[in-house]
Amino acid sequence: MTKKLTVPFLPALDGVALPEAGALMESEAVRESIDILNWRAAFPYKPLVAFDIARGAADVYLHYFVRGLSLRATADRDGIFVHEDSCVEFFMRRDGEMNYINFEFNCIGTCYACRHTSREAGIPLTAEEFRSIRRHASLRSGAFAEKRGLHAWELTVAIPFRVMGLDPGNLPERIFGNFYKCADGTDHPHYVTWSPIDLPEPNYHCPSFFGEIRLR
């Protein structure tokens, strides 16, 4: 069943620094879990993952919480792949379109994002657009190789509506999207989703399975 959520408008988010935004969202945002194992037989491991979501006047705010085995962050600059690291992702498309944007972040906040017409065809964001995506990670170190054991981390991001192809002064009633957790290059690879995907093998680039996201 396709998932649905409604994103609340929290004007106070626009008046606080990003580290404080996570605390504000703790009590005022919508909380959802990323907990669906679509490919359980091949990839049975499932970390604990949740996110809070809300919006300000110009941005969507996401606050991710992750607890699981292995921690990896080898990507240290925007625009390079992060999916082999400990990674959370948000894919979105506008209503009536199948083109989509993938926003992917490793646990230290490095971002990979492209505008896609298909899984194979994508145009990366510009350097200015990458800089406009604000991030605050609970892990304050730079890049590192895999650390084994149990780890917990948080990541808060603010993605401008304009980067998403939306006019903040005239937002649509809804968009479509999905939220993911992965870590392909670790000792515990996993592919966990918010909205279910009915495909035979892992594939996040499937806008037909995106859930409905309503904007207040």
Side-chain angles (χ1 to χ4, degrees), residues 96-108:
E97 298 184 4
M98 292 305 284
N99 294 348
Y100 61 95
I101 307 177
N102 59 321
F103 298 96
E104 307 178 8
F105 303 91
N106 70 6
C107 56
I108 59 173

Side-chain angles (χ1 to χ4, degrees), residues 18 62 64 66 71-82 85-89 103-113 129-144 153-159:
L18 203 57
L62 291 163
Y64 290 94
V66 182
L71 190 67
R72 184 182 192 262
T74 59
D76 60 358
R77 58 181 175 84
D78 290 346
I80 61 177
F81 290 131
V82 297
D85 288 342
S86 301
C87 177
V88 289
E89 305 181 357
F103 298 96
E104 307 178 8
F105 303 91
N106 70 6
C107 56
I108 59 173
T110 305
C111 180
Y112 174 79
E129 288 173 324
F130 276 119
R131 286 192 297 268
S132 73
I133 301 173
R134 292 176 288 143
R135 297 151 246 176
H136 175 74
S138 62
L139 301 174
R140 306 305 298 163
S141 61
F144 53 85
W153 53 279
E154 299 179 24
L155 179 70
T156 306
V157 301
I159 305 173

Side-chain angles (χ1 to χ4, degrees), residues 9-17 20-21 24-25 28 54-57 61:
F9 177 40
L10 302 182
L13 286 172
D14 296 322
V16 300
E20 285 71 53
L24 176 62
M25 293 171 71
E28 301 292 337
R55 75 170 184 91
Y61 290 78

